[in-house]
Amino acid sequence: YSVLLFAAGVSFGYFMMIPYAMYYLGIAYDPAVLKTQFRLQDYFSLVTALCLALAVVFQLPVVMTFFARIGLVEPATLARFRGHFIIGSFVLAAVLTPPDPFTQCLLAVPMMLLFQIGLWASKIAARPRSIPDLGEDPSA
């Protein structure tokens, strides 16, 4: 699943985020005031950064499931912090994307969906906690 999610993240970045980011960067400034010039090095830097960031973000369900499986975090705890994650996803999307609200939402909404998928998967994969039996003393 990790490889599929990585590929989905790169594909989402390349086919969805990059066209809108380039469109925004092309119309962000008045052409009469500032001449837009794209350099190949800057273009590849933007493409690489966005695609790799999205590939890492798309690993969220795998990471959440792993942490729930090893008992590091409970799915109920993840569910309690859903609101914090929503705010955090918009903040992270603002940092990772060009400064326009459309591409920010284009990254934040999939992050919220991936969080929900990760929450469901962690509920399925969570290891039940064993309760120690205090009724009998094995040394007696």
Side-chain angles (χ1 to χ4, degrees):
Y1 292 115
S2 180
V3 173
L4 291 175
L5 286 172
F6 188 88
V10 170
S11 298
F12 182 79
Y14 188 75
F15 293 113
M16 292 294 293
M17 290 289 293
I18 296 298
Y20 288 110
M22 294 306 293
Y23 173 75
Y24 172 76
L25 291 174
I27 66 162
Y29 303 104
D30 185 17
V33 176
L34 187 66
K35 182 179 176 187
T36 305
Q37 293 180 342
F38 294 109
R39 294 186 321 179
L40 198 56
Q41 178 183 0
D42 295 335
Y43 174 76
F44 283 126
S45 175
L46 176 69
V47 168
T48 302
L50 275 178
C51 287
L52 284 178
L54 281 163
V56 170
V57 165
F58 270 58
Q59 297 297 312
L60 184 63
V62 174
V63 171
M64 290 172 64
T65 304
F66 175 73
F67 285 159
R69 182 70 182 152
I70 64 172
L72 189 63
V73 73
E74 293 288 325
T77 305
L78 292 171
R80 261 197 326 263
F81 287 105
R82 182 182 288 126
H84 293 83
F85 183 81
I86 290 172
I87 299 297
S89 67
F90 277 100
V91 169
L92 183 64
V95 170
L96 293 177
T97 61
D100 70 305
F102 184 73
T103 55
Q104 180 184 9
C105 290
L106 198 60
L107 178 59
V109 170
M111 282 179 23
M112 291 184 289
L113 292 173
L114 289 166
F115 179 81
Q116 189 61 41
I117 291 169
L119 188 60
W120 291 332
S122 66
K123 285 181 182 179
I124 293 169
R127 186 177 282 174
R129 298 241 177 195
S130 61
I131 300 172
D133 185 20
L134 300 175
E136 295 181 21
D137 186 16
S139 63

